[in-house]
Amino acid sequence: MLPKFDLYMPTDLAEACRLKGEGAKVVAGGTDVFVNMHGGKDRSDKVVDVKNIPQLQGHSFSPENGLDLGALTTHRDIELWDVIKKHYRAMFEGCSRVGSVQIRTRGTLGGNICNGAPSADSIGPMMVHDAAVVVAGPANERIVPLKDFYLGLKQLDMKEDEILKRILIPAPKAHSGSFYIKYTRRNAMDLALLGVSAYVELDGDILKTVRIALTTAAPTPIRAEKTEALLIGKPASEALLTAAGKTVLTESHPRSSWRSSAEFRLALLEELTVQALQEAIAQAKEA
Amino acid sequence: MQNITIHTIVNNELYIRTIPVNMTLLQFLREDLHLTGTKEGCDEGECGACTVLVDGHPMNSCLVLAAEMDGKHVLTVEGLAEDGRLHPLQEAFLEVGAVQCGYCTPGMLLSGIAMLNLYPHPTREQIRKEMEGNICRCTGYERIADAILLASERLAGETEAH
């Protein structure tokens, strides 16, 4: 039984911003909010359902501009979209492993981003694809790179009266590839014990661009920029990737939880960073 | 608002009801419409026992508000049989013995039908992946997969016959 609340279902974005500013809980797919309400963790007395707001809907791709995703785009939309599998492989790997079909059908990218869990499977892949979010307030909007959107545990660069409107992801570059590896204890319906996303652009054998993001390795999803800097401009040798696996340990801070010890997470980080890079490089060579 | 009037089509029948906004679709089906085929398991989206199709898409009805169902089509296990004949997937479940305690079965059937609509010729691996959100605590998964494969063959046969 859900607690009692007042429900608002506006079609106007500014109206939704105003309600959020007054303390209303924003709900889209409800796969986090209603779970928390059922469990007694969320007792919001006002709920604003944003699914009827046109500016948050729809998703499109163009080879010039890349992806323009409404915040309401679901994980299932991403999973079943051939463009994603072809050009944004890490996003396919991440989004297709969130929860179950039922959860992916309801849960939205905007919701996954704003819930801001360190274990969120969609965020690392979007970070390595250089995503930016469009955040709308009652009067104007601004664009924030996703890698700068997290200020601390569950803290977002978003004001009380702002709502995440869209997600912009650049067009795929030539000779680029990406991958996401999610480590779980069981194959289905499990949170990432650890996750590594990698994106590379190759110039012959040289790693021209590298982006790495870590899941469940810090209080927020993070980019591993030191490791990226180590790799950029060098040939993708086995020794270099092994070194990357070591460097990534210096810029991650996994904690011990009932799911795993920090030590095991560090061992995974070293190994999965190498594997994710290898997979991304293999993708780039095929592209 | 604390109450809302919805027009919703459940199993091809139109219902107009005024309901509290915090009522889940699961409660609406079971307690308002008395369609108790849809089961409550975990009430937090983990088990899939409450799965129904909304406009053809599988959802955990415990995590959906009935208030959102205005103008939508909902399909529950009660709506699967047509003209007194069970759905081919229901028949297959009976034939291969895919039902033990039966509590997960309504959700399994709805997820299975959604999957067969998307992948008419699934592999066993696809079945495992697509059905990951439905838990059977009798652990009768092998026969559930067998039943889905059998139904997929029969449904393909029906399509060819037309």
Side-chain angles (χ1 to χ4, degrees):
Chain A
M1 185 75 177
L2 294 169
K4 271 200 174 158
F5 51 76
D6 274 318
L7 179 68
Y8 303 85
M9 304 171 97
T11 53
D12 181 50
L13 179 56
E15 169 76 357
C17 290
R18 190 184 61 75
L19 287 161
K20 181 169 176 263
E22 289 170 7
K25 187 83 186 181
V26 174
V27 65
T31 54
D32 287 308
V33 174
F34 294 144
V35 171
N36 287 335
M37 284 189 163
H38 275 307
K41 283 191 222 155
D42 187 334
R43 300 193 180 278
S44 304
D45 56 4
K46 284 183 184 175
V47 170
V48 52
D49 178 347
V50 293
K51 284 196 291 297
N52 300 321
I53 301 171
Q55 294 99 313
L56 273 59
Q57 297 169 349
H59 49 272
S60 64
F61 169 77
S62 78
E64 299 79 36
N65 301 321
L67 295 168
D68 174 4
L69 309 173
L72 295 169
T73 304
T74 66
H75 295 86
R76 190 70 165 163
D77 290 332
I78 296 294
E79 178 186 3
L80 298 178
W81 193 3
D82 52 357
V83 161
I84 300 291
K85 224 179 209 172
K86 196 167 166 203
H87 299 299
Y88 301 90
R89 179 66 183 266
M91 287 179 67
F92 169 78
E93 297 296 329
C95 291
S96 66
R97 298 232 21 223
V98 171
S100 61
V101 173
Q102 293 93 318
I103 296 293
R104 296 197 289 277
T105 299
R106 282 279 285 180
T108 65
L109 294 186
N112 209 225
I113 291 172
C114 290
N115 189 48
S119 59
D121 290 309
S122 76
I123 298 175
M126 286 194 279
M127 273 186 178
V128 297
H129 276 288
D130 213 16
V133 292
V134 182
V135 175
N140 47 25
E141 59 185 51
R142 60 201 177 89
I143 296 179
V144 186
L146 185 56
K147 74 177 172 71
D148 300 330
F149 193 58
Y150 297 100
L151 308 177
L153 179 63
K154 298 250 174 184
Q155 281 187 308
L156 313 176
D157 177 10
M158 198 155 69
K159 297 193 193 80
E160 293 294 310
D161 60 356
E162 285 183 321
I163 285 180
L164 196 149
K165 183 178 139 186
R166 304 196 79 80
I167 304 144
L168 306 174
I169 302 183
K173 301 280 197 306
H175 310 295
S176 70
S178 72
F179 210 76
Y180 171 64
I181 299 180
K182 173 181 183 175
Y183 189 92
T184 51
R185 295 157 306 163
R186 61 198 295 279
N187 286 333
M189 294 295 295
D190 202 356
L191 298 182
L193 196 150
L194 196 92
V196 178
S197 309
Y199 168 93
V200 302
E201 278 166 46
L202 293 178
D203 182 1
D205 238 11
I206 306 289
L207 294 161
K208 193 170 137 199
T209 304
V210 181
R211 286 189 289 267
I212 298 168
L214 310 177
T215 303
T216 329
T220 71
I222 56 166
R223 280 269 299 274
E225 290 177 334
K226 265 169 71 180
T227 313
E228 295 170 6
L230 171 82
L231 295 165
I232 291 170
K234 295 183 187 143
S237 68
E238 206 182 312
L240 183 69
L241 298 191
T242 306
K246 303 267 186 229
T247 307
V248 87
L249 303 181
T250 65
E251 54 181 335
S252 52
H253 321 278
R255 61 175 193 135
S256 290
S257 67
W258 64 269
R259 223 176 276 282
S260 163
S261 67
E263 289 76 13
F264 184 48
R265 286 199 164 105
L266 287 168
L268 284 172
L269 263 169
E270 185 174 350
E271 174 60 28
L272 298 186
T273 297
V274 178
Q275 286 185 19
L277 284 164
Q278 284 170 339
E279 292 284 353
I281 290 165
Q283 295 291 322
K285 283 181 176 163
E286 273 177 37
Chain B
M1 60 184 162
Q2 295 193 330
N3 291 294
I4 186 171
T5 301
I6 56 168
H7 297 61
T8 183
I9 294 170
V10 179
N11 301 333
N12 284 324
E13 226 172 290
L14 174 67
Y15 294 89
I16 302 167
R17 288 284 201 282
T18 300
I19 48 152
V21 295
N22 65 335
M23 177 179 259
T24 63
L25 174 58
L26 176 62
Q27 286 172 313
F28 176 68
L29 293 170
R30 290 182 56 88
E31 293 164 25
D32 225 51
L33 305 189
H34 304 295
L35 295 171
T36 54
T38 306
K39 303 304 180 199
E40 175 177 337
C42 64
D43 219 19
E44 55 180 21
E46 294 277 350
C47 77
C50 68
T51 303
V52 299
L53 304 193
V54 177
D55 290 344
H57 301 292
M59 294 180 188
N60 299 306
S61 60
C62 71
L63 296 184
V64 174
L65 296 181
E68 300 173 48
M69 291 300 105
D70 190 44
K72 307 268 192 216
H73 284 255
V74 181
L75 181 66
T76 74
V77 70
E78 289 91 345
L80 297 185
E82 274 178 38
D83 304 325
R85 201 196 144 186
L86 293 177
H87 185 281
L89 186 59
Q90 289 175 302
E91 285 180 345
F93 263 61
L94 282 174
E95 277 180 44
V96 308
V99 179
Q100 291 186 52
C101 86
Y103 201 84
C104 73
T105 308
M108 288 284 180
L109 288 167
L110 272 303
S111 283
I113 286 165
M115 185 195 59
L116 288 170
N117 287 336
L118 189 63
Y119 303 112
H121 305 284
T123 62
R124 201 167 268 273
E125 199 181 336
Q126 263 176 327
I127 293 172
R128 282 173 173 267
K129 175 67 181 158
E130 289 290 303
M131 302 293 289
E132 68 191 344
N134 291 78
I135 289 172
C136 168
R137 286 299 79 160
C138 309
T139 70
Y141 294 109
E142 283 302 320
R143 289 193 182 180
I144 290 167
D146 291 344
I148 292 171
L149 284 171
L150 179 63
S152 77
E153 285 163 22
R154 288 195 182 151
L155 285 163
E158 273 180 29
T159 319
E160 276 159 30
H162 279 287

